[in-house]
Amino acid sequence: MLAVHFDEPGGPENLYLKEVPKPSPGEGEVLLKVAASALNRADLVQRQGQYAPPPGARTILGLEASGHVAELGPGCRGHWKIGDPAMALLPGGGQAQYVTIPEGLLMPIPEGLSLTQAAAIPGAWLTAFQLLHLVGEETPVLTPNSVAQLHESATSNTSSQLQPGNLATPSPSTLLYPQ
């Protein structure tokens, strides 16, 4: 299979397609035939040699991807079937034709989203949703009529907080973006 590869840290000029072995799903893993992969800031920093992949992860870039289930490894017990569309947040490997993912980390693609759109959901959008609605002591961070101040408004995580923040509150909330 083909994968995005680099031999030396640096800029995008160091990237090229390389033939690498196709992964096989292990116990409880699913093989995803990748249709789209998002470009995450961590991918850029890894390519520059300043961010190591997690222990045991492949060195292929790509922390989020979408595609179709191509194979189920032994021990898979979920609802996934060959050909199902899915998206995933990955420790790496998404910028390749195939990637393996633990079955429990595979997510269905919301209705109405293309595979390309779905590839951008796992990293930025789910992080934004968690930060706005699940992180905190005993109450959600963003509640009706509340105010949330967001920093680094040029990043994908902060930009992604706009829509989930506005969708989740039945009455207006305010999101402030420092200039």
Side-chain angles (χ1 to χ4, degrees):
M1 74 167 183
L2 294 175
V4 174
H5 189 74
F6 63 97
D7 294 318
E8 297 289 327
E13 66 278 359
N14 290 1
L15 298 175
Y16 65 96
L17 289 177
K18 179 179 180 177
E19 187 73 36
V20 298
K22 179 178 163 183
S24 295
E27 181 73 26
E29 289 185 328
V30 171
L31 181 67
L32 188 70
K33 184 176 191 322
V34 176
S37 178
L39 184 60
N40 190 297
R41 183 175 189 280
D43 292 316
L44 301 177
V45 178
Q46 182 179 341
R47 184 199 71 222
Q48 294 167 348
Q50 300 171 7
Y51 182 81
R58 299 185 79 174
T59 57
I60 298 169
L61 299 173
L63 299 177
E64 40 199 343
S66 67
H68 293 94
V69 173
E71 189 179 334
L72 299 171
C76 285
R77 293 182 172 81
H79 69 278
W80 298 105
K81 296 185 283 307
I82 305 285
D84 283 349
M87 60 184 180
L89 184 61
L90 307 161
Q95 292 184 7
Q97 290 178 304
Y98 292 90
V99 65
T100 54
I101 179 81
E103 179 184 27
L105 298 180
L106 209 55
M107 296 171 274
I109 295 174
E111 190 174 323
L113 288 184
S114 69
L115 289 169
T116 303
Q117 292 167 323
I121 297 288
W125 285 86
L126 293 180
T127 300
F129 182 85
Q130 287 178 324
L131 290 173
L132 286 171
H133 304 289
L134 304 176
V135 176
E137 296 298 319
E138 296 181 16
T139 60
V141 174
L142 192 61
T143 58
N145 300 310
S146 65
V147 175
Q149 183 172 358
L150 306 176
H151 296 275
E152 301 180 24
S153 59
T155 68
S156 60
N157 282 344
T158 305
S159 300
S160 299
Q161 289 172 356
L162 283 171
Q163 198 166 15
N166 292 331
L167 288 175
T169 56
S171 60
S173 292
T174 304
L175 300 173
L176 301 175
Y177 295 91
Q179 297 297 326

